[in-house]
Amino acid sequence: MKKIGKLLIVSGLVAAMGLSFTACGGEPVPEGFTSIKYYASYVSTYTKSAFEEMVKTYNETQGQTDKVVVTMQPSTSVLSYNNIIGKKGKSFDVVSVSNAPGQFKNVVTRGDHFVHLEQYLNDAAKETLAWDQIPESSKNIWRFNSTLKDGKYRAGEGADLVAMPFGNIPQVLFYNTEIFAQMGVNVVSVNEELCGTGEYAKLMPHGYAEYVEAPVSGLNKSTNGAGEEVYKVFNNRIPMNWEEQRILARDFQTFKGSDQVYGYMSEWWFNYLWAVGGDCIGWHSDESVYKMILNDKTDNYLALETIEVNGTTYTQGEALDYEDKTWLRANWSEEDREGRVTELPSTYKAFLEFNRLGVPKTKYVEDGIAGYGVAPSTTENRSTRFTSGESPMLNEYYNNINAFADSAIGGKYDIAPLCNYREYVGGSTYQKNNAAGFANEYLKVIGKTYGDDVYTGEIRTVTSAGGKEVPVMGEATTCISPETSGLAIPKNADPEKYEAAFKFISWACGPEGQRIVAKGNMVVPNQTNVGLSDGFSDSDDRVCKNAYAAAYANRNSYVGDWSYFNVETWIAGWATPLNYDVREGKLKLSKYFDDYFEVANVALAPMSIYMKRS
């Protein structure tokens, strides 16, 4: 705890001296204090006041104890490589770095230019940071070894911490509350652990579900796609599964009476593939190289208890990554796997599901597999489609809540977690009149009998070796914005100020600084307990009601493929045909794999980073 009485006395003395700590430079520094220059990136009209308040608060509170005064230079962009490594004495003491293409990893692969922070991570610093509340995935974004080993740099888990997470900007599902109401969709906000208990005893853990009887009071009935009178319930604190996502999107087309409108819009596949342990690339240890794995049709695995696979520790509910999944398949027998892992869909199946969303219903993703046609084939103008009401659901970065609030959709939207892979007892859907195809697929209604069984909507579980019932669901994962930042100390700053710089960083990246920065509605606080608290989601500073969903996403979020390496040039050869020809139904996936995988693998061969984000 801080010594409040002493702090107030010192603050009063500073005020009496007539000194200002919030300007961008030029003020005298009190005797015995260290002056720190801070370059703040991505400071916009929406976030400027929050950044200024953060620096002012530090200077007037914790800075008095630390004997550190900070001056900030706000900017809408990040520093270039040349500015970060500028001449000693002209550098900033603390700089904001980002995972944008060519920024952070471009700097660290060109030299050991940042102070390694773990040398300052003593018990006091960890307490200030609430270190154990910061997700490992957030920390791993800023871990990097600048020394080559076997021709590769190491990034992520196990590497050196060279920047501190400064709050993430995760992707979330934006939804149009007005259109949902018009469609007869009731919205509730109930945490998953409360479903099936107390007053929510009849509410099942679904992102979207339909019920014969109202699971909670105050709900309205409406007609579903199968022509039944049901209670439609969208829970904005739980991810939908794949089936719920695609059918709710199709219901919007039914509501509008047209296949030319689309219920969902997304540019990114990350939450589909990462959830089951998939990715666009996988590490091949025998060749020490990454290769494209979008066509990998082998099962992925979910850990049912804490296990070690190929040197990596996985805890219950984590999906194994490609490298470790491949090792497990080669080294564990079926008996070894029993009760320790269970199957998840393959990377190919997840990628197929994602692509079917945008391929038209009249065209094929693969032979005999048509598109769902519930999302536009194009990735362009996604925000305009959402704000105009053309599409009621959009996968987009959290910080867009600011611009959306100032648009035509202002006051008529909220956010929810992105969909995830989740299995329910008896499955999620049925084929009406036993006719095959997406047009005849409908959600099972909770409380209705199908065959000999009443559909309960309970999540399917598998028994672990230790006797625990483990839900069969993927990891709720998401990608972060290229504008997500970390705070770093350039080595060419004054070494005598390193420790003072870290004191500011640990406060700014800790709960106190994060609560203030979050007022700008750009980042989610680093600390899980802060982000998931009622104080964050219910704060008057939030411009959407359910900011909880962004904090939920932040628990397990990572950089997109454009930031896997220090350059993004390896993407162009395969991403363009995927975003156009495949999505438009002009190119089937199998043909796409044949035509573009070798192009991608040639581009991957010279990449010099090995990463581990789990």
Side-chain angles (χ1 to χ4, degrees):
M1 297 293 291
K2 298 180 181 61
K3 298 179 180 178
I4 302 298
K6 182 177 179 181
L7 182 151
L8 292 175
I9 292 172
V10 176
S11 293
L13 178 61
V14 171
M17 293 169 63
L19 300 180
S20 170
F21 289 100
T22 60
C24 291
E27 292 81 2
V29 177
E31 186 176 350
F33 278 62
T34 301
S35 176
I36 295 299
K37 294 178 290 183
Y38 162 44
Y39 185 95
S41 301
Y42 304 121
V43 181
S44 67
T45 54
Y46 296 113
T47 61
K48 185 173 183 288
S49 62
F51 274 85
E52 290 175 342
E53 180 184 347
M54 180 194 68
V55 173
K56 182 176 186 293
T57 301
Y58 175 78
N59 285 334
E60 294 180 349
T61 57
Q62 185 60 39
Q64 298 298 307
T65 301
D66 295 340
K67 291 192 174 182
V68 174
V69 58
V70 177
T71 58
M72 177 179 69
Q73 179 171 319
S75 175
T76 57
S77 61
V78 289
L79 277 172
S80 68
Y81 171 79
N82 287 333
N83 282 327
I84 288 176
I85 66 165
K87 295 180 180 178
K88 184 176 179 180
K90 295 184 179 180
S91 175
F92 290 89
D93 303 293
V94 175
V95 298
S96 176
V97 292
S98 84
N99 76 96
Q103 218 274 325
F104 173 66
K105 284 180 179 172
N106 176 52
V107 175
V108 291
T109 54
R110 295 171 70 178
D112 196 16
H113 297 305
F114 295 123
V115 174
H116 297 189
L117 300 182
E118 275 167 315
Q119 63 185 302
Y120 299 110
L121 267 177
N122 54 31
D123 290 342
K126 288 183 177 180
E127 182 178 357
T128 300
L129 282 157
W131 184 247
D132 61 343
Q133 284 294 321
I134 302 177
E136 288 302 314
S137 58
S138 295
K139 299 170 186 174
N140 287 340
I141 295 168
W142 310 109
R143 293 188 183 278
F144 198 91
N145 286 346
S146 296
T147 302
L148 285 168
K149 182 180 179 181
D150 301 326
K152 302 287 182 184
Y153 299 104
R154 296 305 195 262
E157 184 179 19
D160 296 323
L161 185 71
V162 293
M164 190 68 70
F166 187 59
N168 284 351
I169 308 172
Q171 292 174 354
V172 294
L173 181 71
F174 286 84
Y175 66 95
N176 187 312
T177 55
E178 183 178 62
I179 290 176
F180 271 32
Q182 293 169 353
M183 292 172 60
V185 177
N186 301 279
V187 177
V188 299
S189 296
V190 181
N191 294 359
E192 183 155 3
E193 61 270 20
L194 297 178
C195 292
T197 67
E199 64 180 304
Y200 304 116
K202 296 181 179 179
L203 185 68
M204 302 310 292
H206 290 247
Y208 175 71
E210 297 172 356
Y211 295 78
V212 170
E213 297 181 1
V216 294
S217 62
L219 305 185
N220 298 314
K221 242 181 182 181
S222 60
T223 306
N224 68 6
E228 304 163 316
E229 288 296 303
V230 298
Y231 292 93
K232 304 174 185 177
V233 181
F234 179 82
N235 191 338
N236 65 14
R237 294 199 169 192
I238 298 177
M240 292 184 283
N241 74 357
W242 293 353
E243 293 89 347
E244 292 163 356
Q245 169 81 80
R246 68 185 183 235
I247 289 179
L248 182 56
R250 187 191 64 192
D251 284 351
F252 174 67
Q253 294 175 316
T254 302
F255 167 69
K256 286 290 189 180
S258 172
D259 283 349
Q260 303 307 308
V261 296
Y262 305 97
Y264 178 65
M265 178 78 182
S266 176
E267 180 176 343
W268 303 287
W269 48 260
F270 303 113
N271 61 300
Y272 278 84
L273 272 63
W274 288 353
V276 297
D279 208 329
C280 60
I281 60 174
W283 179 253
H284 289 65
S285 56
D286 55 336
E287 302 176 58
S288 294
V289 69
Y290 281 104
K291 291 184 179 180
M292 295 295 287
I293 60 166
L294 291 172
N295 62 345
D296 175 23
K297 295 183 179 181
T298 59
D299 288 336
N300 286 307
Y301 293 109
L302 180 75
L304 298 177
E305 56 186 19
T306 299
I307 56 174
E308 183 174 310
V309 181
N310 192 28
T312 303
T313 299
Y314 291 91
T315 58
Q316 179 194 303
E318 290 186 325
L320 277 61
D321 67 18
Y322 176 81
E323 177 184 3
D324 297 329
K325 180 270 293 271
T326 303
W327 185 92
L328 181 147
R329 291 179 67 85
N331 292 277
W332 284 19
S333 66
E334 287 190 22
E335 185 178 355
D336 292 332
R337 301 173 201 174
E338 184 69 28
R340 301 171 73 191
V341 297
T342 193
E343 293 81 9
L344 288 174
S346 68
T347 297
Y348 170 79
K349 185 174 180 179
F351 192 55
L352 178 70
E353 176 71 15
F354 168 76
N355 280 284
R356 291 186 73 181
L357 296 170
V359 172
K361 298 173 185 176
T362 56
K363 297 187 178 181
Y364 290 87
V365 186
E366 287 282 39
D367 288 338
I369 303 176
Y372 296 133
V374 297
S377 296
T378 177
T379 63
E380 297 171 354
N381 301 318
R382 59 181 185 269
S383 292
T384 301
R385 288 176 182 269
F386 178 68
T387 57
S388 68
E390 183 181 341
S391 176
M393 292 185 286
L394 171 70
N395 174 354
E396 190 52 272
Y397 296 117
Y398 169 66
N399 61 337
N400 279 269
I401 63 175
N402 289 314
F404 290 166
D406 290 339
S407 73
I409 203 173
K412 297 184 292 186
Y413 73 93
D414 209 334
I415 61 174
L418 295 171
C419 73
N420 187 13
Y421 180 78
R422 299 165 71 94
E423 293 186 19
Y424 293 95
V425 176
S428 295
T429 66
Y430 71 99
Q431 296 291 330
K432 191 174 182 180
N433 301 322
N434 295 317
F438 180 54
N440 299 299
E441 181 187 35
Y442 295 93
L443 286 180
K444 289 185 174 180
V445 178
I446 296 173
K448 186 178 176 182
T449 299
Y450 297 89
D452 297 327
D453 300 314
V454 175
Y455 184 63
T456 64
E458 295 176 351
I459 196 154
R460 189 173 83 85
T461 62
V462 175
T463 306
S464 72
K468 187 171 183 179
E469 293 300 314
V470 181
V472 180
M473 61 175 73
E475 288 190 68
T477 60
T478 188
C479 174
I480 57 171
S481 165
E483 294 186 6
T484 292
S485 300
L487 298 187
I489 303 172
K491 277 191 173 180
N492 63 347
D494 186 347
E496 294 185 2
K497 295 185 177 183
Y498 287 175
E499 188 171 353
F502 183 79
K503 287 179 178 179
F504 168 65
I505 286 176
S506 60
W507 182 89
C509 297
E512 293 181 71
Q514 292 292 286
R515 285 190 182 96
I516 297 172
V517 173
K519 291 181 180 182
N521 292 297
M522 177 181 73
V523 302
V524 178
N526 282 329
Q527 294 71 24
T528 297
N529 60 346
V530 174
L532 294 180
S533 68
D534 291 339
F536 173 67
S537 190
D538 299 342
S539 169
D540 291 339
D541 296 310
R542 304 287 85 78
V543 297
C544 63
K545 294 180 181 178
N546 191 39
Y548 172 97
Y552 179 95
N554 188 55
R555 300 175 311 163
N556 197 358
S557 56
Y558 199 69
V559 300
D561 51 15
W562 56 83
S563 290
Y564 283 0
F565 306 110
N566 55 310
V567 294
E568 60 173 336
T569 51
W570 68 280
I571 293 177
W574 61 272
T576 299
L578 173 63
N579 287 333
Y580 291 93
D581 291 349
V582 172
R583 289 191 182 213
E584 292 171 8
K586 297 177 180 178
L587 183 65
K588 294 176 184 175
L589 281 180
S590 55
K591 176 65 172 170
Y592 167 73
F593 298 148
D594 289 342
D595 290 352
Y596 292 100
F597 265 34
E598 187 57 30
V599 172
N601 289 338
V602 169
L604 279 166
M607 296 298 107
S608 58
I609 294 175
Y610 168 78
M611 57 187 173
K612 195 77 171 175
R613 68 166 179 264
S614 57

